[in-house]
Amino acid sequence: MAPKKAEIKRTEDEGPKVYLKLDVSWPRPLLASNEATAVVAYTFPGEREAVQSEPVAADTPSAAGFTRTFVRKQGMLLLHQLLNSPLLLKLLKGDGSTALASASLDFAPLAQGVDQFSAACLKLSGADDQTAVAADAAFTVKVQLLQETGTPREEPPTTPGKPPAKGAPATPPPGMVDLSQLTLGPCTLVPSDQAAGAQVVQLHLQSAGPLPDTLQAAATAAGGALTVSCGLHLSRAPTGAPICLIPAGASIQDGQLQWAADPTRFFVPGTAIASLKAAVEANQPLYLELARFLAPGTETLTDPAFEAYHGLAAVPVAAQLSEPGQKVANLQAVVSISYLEGQQAGSLAQPGLPRPDPPANPKAKPIEEAPAASTDGSPPPCAWAKAQTTITATLQLQAPLYPPWQPPPMPAVSLQQLISKRQFVKTEDKPTASQVFQAQVQSAVKQLAVDYHKMFGTEEGAPADPHQAAARRKQLVFELNKNGQYLRLKEQLKAAVIGIVKDSYHKSGGMGREEMQELYNKLYMHLATDMHMALNQLVSNKPSVAKAATAKGSSKGPEGPTRHQLAVLKGLADEAELTGNQAAAERYHQERTLAPANPQVWYDYGTFCLRTAKQGQAEQCLKEAVAIDPGHKAALLALAALLWHVGLHTDAAYLDQAETVLHAAREAAADDAAVWALLSLVYESMASRRVSEHRNAAFEMRRLGKVHNRRSLAGNPYLQVALLLLDLQLGECAQQALQAAGKGQGDEEVPGLEMALCCSKAASLTGDATGALEAAKEAARAADPEDVRPRIILGNLHWAAGRCSQASKEYQGALRAGPTSCPLDLYLRLGTTFLAEGEFEYARNVYVQVNAAQYF
């Protein structure tokens, strides 16, 4: 029966219409046998009857195929129906009785705001008889969206019961439209402003349980007309309307909810995807809304207990959807509050699930009585929350919120270009100043021996009579002064001694009296040692030191402190720094730099300069350490931190240098999460130009951090970086690292004590004395009684503010809890406090303790 004109015209009552035109063709033969015929059929969503082609010959491809057009009301309901009802094309035997194979067409491209799309080479599958279908058989389907753009042409009048006139259009089959009477143009199902950034999202509700004990009784009272619906609030549109994904409701059978077996697909506009991304970046949860409903047509029943079964469950998704390339989030959450409680708390302003209308029938029977109203006007208790109902579901995006992970690109400037590797020239062929001095001592001794024998003969040994020995020595000295030989020896040794001062102590004049006296003391010990070595070699008849230095194959390098001497100097430098003698500490560090090709001494010196606010000098020292050893991870991290600090406060170009240094650190320690953490912070400081690199570095940091215990420092790399920055006295940078550490990502846990301790020190470095004190008190509350760190920090803060009595109290508490864990400056400050208060005996005991701790 032909459709009436009213069914193909637009009217105000029906709303706008859209016409979906489908062209189905097959470029190659569908059947393998030349003698068989087949029929192509499909059922369009919403139609009861299938559309079939004419019988298809075995060897006949169809370039034109066959075309059908369907009319529907335009809107999101149509798009939702098409997204969840793919077009199933079937290849039937010629008589249409048996299906040979099938193919499926997905209407998802219509969600992109297009007015047409084509699907080429839809492969046939599922053939029972593989020999009946051609191996390369495939369909090509073109879909067009059309709408009326003018008035329809008038049809010629017809007489009932009389066939149409010759040339008149044929009557279309039921459910389809004859386009020959319409003026149509292209249209879309999705407006362009909603299509930008839009996605087709899948939600699959899997289970919910345990259920409230009263739910099954209510379902029985409803006679099976009670269902449970669950919606996922993705975000809010700018207008405030909720974006809630609501699949089909679940039936209640034998005390369990029966959800649909397949996921449901939804169109989500680009604005909602942007809001979802913002929620993920802010680590905000999504909400699952759960409620029960009576089926339509049950006017004789009512549910006054609806609000008691209207609950909310907060679902954390940031840890999953924030990962680069991640499209799937496994949702699991416990219904914890009622919707009304969540609304009062500001969780959601509007429900996604519509509230049922009041019953029109005043005699409607309640399936369950409403809970008794509370005296304070609070919402009724949530039955789901009481039962601890847990909802599990799967959310799948069409595209990830963030692109798949990529390693950070190499910086424009390499580390070698930024800091040239130090090339050390071997000195095998050139004796050191000490070796020259020892050689001259040996030469002088030999010459004196010759002169002695000339004067007193060749008898062995010294004279037994001491007066005779003294007379000979006096006579020898007289002869040496008389002929000028003594002066020549002094001048030769003087030049060697000057060489030692320059090479070993880097001194050339311009020293103060105390510094000169200190140099004399050290030089005396040095020369005495060298002289004894030269004499011992001469007596033992070993090769001279000059010859040994120039001997083939000798690998003796530049002279400098021994390993033991370096350790002693480091201890002295640390002690001087703790006692506030920064000048002495710096001199000890400078002496340590005499060690050849030792990056550690330059790193120690550089970090000392950072702690004493000499950032320019620190940069040079750390670069020297990296120049000696480009793989020195500690020096690379410290240098990168310093360059990051300078880039934030002085010149942004230093951020690029920090990136270069951190790439070198990444190559030296690819599995170190702290390197990736600092790199992500540097990228974040580069603003919008490095957002993707920041996210990828943070993701790799989290991946490496999960290898360790999340409750430990190793499990939170940002906290490790914060500790490094605090040790380098870079307070503002440390605060940024602590902010990143505090954000967390779902399953990451931040140690509260460590965070509080770090926040206190960072606030102190940035001049926030109040914040530092509050954070230290928080740390003290979270710490074990044996942990002395909060007490030490509190004592230091009181000391810096001039509250010596309070500082003394905290210091004494730290000493009682763990005397071996207290630093040297604590003892000194406590002793000073006792002296100021006149407690001389207490002060003496403290100083005795510090000496015992230091030397024993």
Side-chain angles (χ1 to χ4, degrees):
M1 178 179 178
K4 297 179 181 179
K5 284 187 177 181
E7 294 177 341
I8 62 173
K9 287 183 179 180
R10 184 197 309 168
T11 64
E12 294 301 327
D13 293 337
E14 293 175 336
K17 293 180 180 178
V18 62
Y19 299 86
L20 292 97
K21 181 180 178 183
L22 272 69
D23 297 316
V24 181
S25 61
W26 43 96
R28 291 178 293 275
L30 298 174
L31 301 177
S33 173
N34 293 331
E35 300 178 357
T37 59
V39 172
V40 178
Y42 63 84
T43 302
F44 190 78
E47 297 293 333
R48 295 182 179 180
E49 299 182 9
V51 177
Q52 292 187 358
S53 70
E54 297 295 329
V56 178
D59 57 351
T60 306
S62 173
F66 66 103
T67 302
R68 296 291 186 271
T69 305
F70 303 86
V71 61
R72 293 290 187 273
K73 286 187 178 181
Q74 189 175 15
M76 288 299 166
L77 289 178
L78 172 59
L79 179 59
H80 183 76
Q81 182 186 32
L82 295 176
L83 288 176
N84 291 282
S85 303
L87 187 71
L88 184 63
L89 297 102
K90 295 182 179 180
L91 180 63
L92 309 174
K93 285 187 177 181
D95 58 2
S97 61
T98 306
L100 298 176
S102 63
S104 180
L105 173 69
D106 190 355
F107 288 104
L110 296 179
Q112 300 174 3
V114 299
D115 59 6
Q116 63 178 333
F117 74 93
S118 296
C121 299
L122 293 176
K123 291 291 185 180
L124 295 172
S125 61
D128 295 333
D129 185 1
Q130 297 290 343
T131 61
V133 182
D136 56 353
F139 290 122
T140 296
V141 182
K142 181 179 180 181
V143 180
Q144 291 179 278
L145 293 174
L146 303 169
Q147 66 181 358
E148 297 179 53
T149 58
T151 58
R153 294 190 294 271
E154 292 295 331
E155 296 182 9
T158 60
T159 303
K162 184 178 179 180
K166 187 176 182 181
T171 300
M176 292 171 285
V177 180
D178 182 6
L179 298 184
S180 63
Q181 305 300 313
L182 301 173
T183 303
L184 302 176
C187 70
T188 64
L189 295 181
V190 179
S192 58
D193 60 333
Q194 296 187 27
Q199 290 196 31
V200 174
V201 176
Q202 293 186 19
L203 177 62
H204 188 197
L205 296 171
Q206 296 163 336
S207 66
L211 303 180
D213 296 335
T214 53
L215 183 63
Q216 183 61 58
T220 303
L226 189 66
T227 61
V228 175
S229 293
C230 184
L232 175 65
H233 288 257
L234 276 188
S235 60
R236 298 180 184 279
T239 58
I243 303 297
C244 187
L245 311 183
I246 309 174
S251 60
I252 306 171
Q253 299 179 9
D254 300 328
Q256 295 183 346
L257 300 183
Q258 304 295 324
W259 301 99
D262 298 323
T264 306
R265 301 204 295 179
F266 300 88
F267 169 79
V268 180
T271 53
I273 294 296
S275 297
L276 172 63
K277 187 174 182 179
V280 168
E281 291 179 348
N283 199 21
Q284 296 175 349
L286 303 183
Y287 285 93
L288 284 166
E289 183 181 356
L290 191 65
R292 71 183 190 183
F293 294 91
L294 286 168
T298 55
E299 289 78 6
T300 59
L301 299 174
T302 184
D303 186 10
F306 171 80
E307 291 299 345
Y309 291 87
H310 190 189
L312 284 180
V315 188
V317 296
Q320 299 181 66
L321 295 182
S322 63
E323 295 184 0
Q326 183 67 25
K327 297 189 293 184
V328 178
N330 295 313
L331 312 180
Q332 184 173 10
V334 178
V335 180
S336 56
I337 56 174
S338 69
Y339 175 80
L340 293 179
E341 291 174 323
Q343 190 177 38
Q344 291 180 356
S347 301
L348 292 174
Q350 300 182 32
L353 299 176
R355 284 190 172 92
D357 296 328
N361 184 359
K363 296 183 179 181
K365 180 182 178 181
I367 60 173
E368 182 180 346
E369 294 297 336
S374 61
T375 56
D376 58 357
S378 60
C382 180
W384 306 108
K386 182 178 179 181
Q388 291 291 292
T389 301
T390 301
I391 306 172
T392 58
T394 301
L395 176 68
Q396 181 171 346
L397 305 180
Q398 183 179 3
L401 296 179
Y402 305 98
W405 187 85
Q406 294 289 336
M410 295 303 296
V413 178
S414 67
L415 183 68
Q416 179 64 26
Q417 293 172 315
L418 183 65
I419 306 172
S420 299
K421 180 176 173 57
R422 184 76 67 236
Q423 301 293 333
F424 293 97
V425 179
K426 292 185 178 181
T427 57
E428 293 97 353
D429 298 332
K430 182 180 179 181
T432 65
S434 284
Q435 291 170 342
V436 171
F437 174 77
Q438 293 176 31
Q440 291 182 354
V441 168
Q442 292 177 349
S443 177
V445 170
K446 291 179 180 179
Q447 183 61 45
L448 290 174
V450 171
D451 293 342
Y452 184 88
H453 285 293
K454 285 182 178 179
M455 293 177 61
F456 306 111
T458 59
E459 60 181 84
E460 295 183 0
D465 186 359
H467 296 287
Q468 185 179 3
R472 289 186 177 184
R473 184 166 56 252
K474 183 177 181 180
Q475 185 178 356
L476 177 61
V477 171
F478 175 79
E479 291 296 329
L480 292 175
N481 282 301
K482 179 180 177 181
N483 58 24
Q485 187 175 351
Y486 181 71
L487 181 61
R488 289 193 298 272
L489 289 175
K490 284 182 60 176
E491 291 298 323
Q492 291 176 359
L493 293 175
K494 178 181 177 181
V497 170
I498 292 175
I500 290 175
V501 173
K502 289 182 178 180
D503 288 357
S504 298
Y505 298 96
H506 293 189
K507 302 292 185 180
S508 59
M511 294 176 285
R513 183 175 180 179
E514 292 184 1
E515 189 177 2
M516 181 71 76
Q517 186 60 47
E518 184 179 3
L519 175 62
Y520 283 161
N521 295 337
K522 293 179 180 179
L523 183 60
Y524 175 82
M525 297 299 298
H526 191 129
L527 296 178
T529 301
D530 282 353
M531 184 179 66
H532 291 153
M533 291 176 61
L535 294 176
N536 289 335
Q537 290 174 352
L538 192 63
V539 172
S540 61
N541 199 26
K542 292 182 177 180
S544 67
V545 290
K547 291 183 179 180
T550 57
K552 184 178 180 180
S554 173
S555 59
K556 186 175 179 62
E559 193 175 24
T562 64
R563 183 179 301 178
H564 174 70
Q565 291 172 330
L566 289 175
V568 171
L569 290 171
K570 179 65 166 60
L572 293 172
D574 292 343
E575 181 180 330
E577 184 179 355
L578 282 173
T579 56
N581 191 348
Q582 309 298 347
E586 184 165 13
R587 286 200 302 271
Y588 290 129
H589 279 294
Q590 289 174 347
E591 287 186 40
R592 296 181 78 237
T593 61
L594 299 176
N598 191 328
Q600 185 64 34
V601 299
W602 288 101
Y603 166 75
D604 293 336
Y605 189 16
T607 54
F608 165 78
C609 291
L610 276 175
R611 291 192 296 272
T612 53
K614 299 177 181 178
Q615 294 180 357
Q617 192 172 348
E619 180 182 347
Q620 297 304 317
C621 292
L622 294 172
K623 284 185 175 180
E624 181 66 21
V626 173
I628 296 172
D629 180 9
H632 195 285
K633 188 187 75 171
L636 289 168
L637 283 174
L639 177 59
L642 174 58
L643 294 173
W644 177 36
H645 169 81
V646 177
L648 287 175
H649 298 89
T650 305
D651 186 354
Y654 280 85
L655 295 176
D656 295 326
Q657 295 186 27
E659 178 193 7
T660 296
V661 174
L662 284 172
H663 270 271
R666 181 173 65 87
E667 294 176 359
D671 294 335
D672 192 328
V675 174
W676 288 96
L678 185 53
L679 183 59
S680 74
L681 292 170
V682 171
Y683 280 138
E684 188 178 30
S685 301
M686 294 179 175
S688 58
R689 62 190 178 108
R690 307 307 290 272
V691 171
S692 178
E693 288 87 347
H694 158 65
R695 182 162 297 279
N696 285 332
F699 170 74
E700 184 65 9
M701 173 211 70
R702 290 194 298 272
R703 186 189 69 82
L704 293 171
K706 288 179 180 178
V707 176
H708 308 284
N709 181 0
R710 297 188 184 95
R711 292 182 179 272
S712 67
L713 288 178
N716 197 307
Y718 282 131
L719 205 52
Q720 297 181 58
V721 171
L723 288 171
L724 168 66
L725 296 169
L726 291 172
D727 184 60
L728 301 179
Q729 306 293 297
L730 302 176
E732 294 182 7
C733 292
Q735 285 183 329
Q736 291 195 29
L738 290 171
Q739 289 175 3
K743 290 179 181 178
Q745 284 290 345
D747 58 349
E748 294 177 5
E749 298 185 22
V750 181
L753 172 60
E754 303 298 336
M755 176 65 80
L757 291 172
C758 291
C759 287
S760 177
K761 187 171 182 180
S764 179
L765 289 174
T766 55
D768 182 8
T770 303
L773 190 61
E774 290 301 320
K777 290 179 179 178
E778 180 183 348
R781 290 189 292 268
D784 294 330
E786 295 80 13
D787 195 336
V788 302
R789 294 176 297 170
R791 287 186 173 275
I792 294 175
I793 291 180
L794 282 170
N796 291 342
L797 292 173
H798 290 311
W799 176 271
R803 299 185 291 268
C804 297
S805 177
Q806 293 173 273
S808 174
K809 178 181 177 181
E810 297 296 342
Y811 288 153
Q812 291 181 65
L815 284 174
R816 286 192 298 269
T820 59
S821 302
C822 295
L824 175 63
D825 58 343
L826 181 148
Y827 288 91
L828 298 179
R829 290 178 177 179
L830 183 58
T832 302
T833 302
F834 283 142
L835 286 176
E837 296 175 349
E839 301 288 351
F840 303 113
E841 185 65 24
Y842 287 148
R844 185 185 69 83
N845 291 336
V846 169
Y847 291 140
V848 169
Q849 288 184 45
V850 71
N851 284 320
Q854 181 177 5
Y855 296 108
F856 299 100

